[in-house]
Amino acid sequence: RAAVRLRALPLDQLVARLSDTFALLDHGRMTTSARHQTLRRTMDWSHELCTPAERLLWARLSVFAGSFGLDAVTEVAADDELPADAVLNHLVGLVEKSVVVRLGEDG
């Protein structure tokens, strides 16, 4: 569906809206496919299970396009609102909720 949007939006504007993929694909209509509605509900449900600090960390993890390490997460996510010494505990919470998946040593 994102490609269809190129009929109405220049590429740079489409890319700017990719941060909210669900809004871009959903566009507020009930004609959205059941698959996309189910995906949205699943993400909303997972988000609601998280603590406020886990939600904040989840949002900050969105800067990573692929895998990442704890040092990188701490560097990107830690601040006064989410102290560096708390990042690991919240990351573990996201792993326990299957929001983040730990890869094995080989990848």
Side-chain angles (χ1 to χ4, degrees), residues 10-78:
L11 181 59
D12 61 328
Q13 289 182 21
L14 179 69
V15 169
R17 287 173 169 76
L18 287 176
S19 63
D20 190 356
T21 304
F22 295 116
L24 180 67
L25 296 177
D26 186 11
H27 58 86
R29 288 206 221 158
M30 291 309 293
T31 58
T32 304
S33 73
R35 178 173 45 106
H36 286 133
Q37 290 176 19
T38 301
L39 176 60
R40 177 64 186 242
R41 286 186 194 114
T42 301
M43 296 297 291
D44 288 346
W45 177 73
S46 295
H47 196 259
E48 290 299 317
L49 291 176
C50 295
T51 66
E54 289 169 343
R55 291 178 193 163
L56 177 61
L57 180 57
W58 187 352
R60 292 179 180 179
L61 291 176
S62 69
V63 302
F64 295 104
S67 61
F68 50 81
L70 179 59
D71 291 339
V73 171
T74 303
E75 188 68 30
V76 167

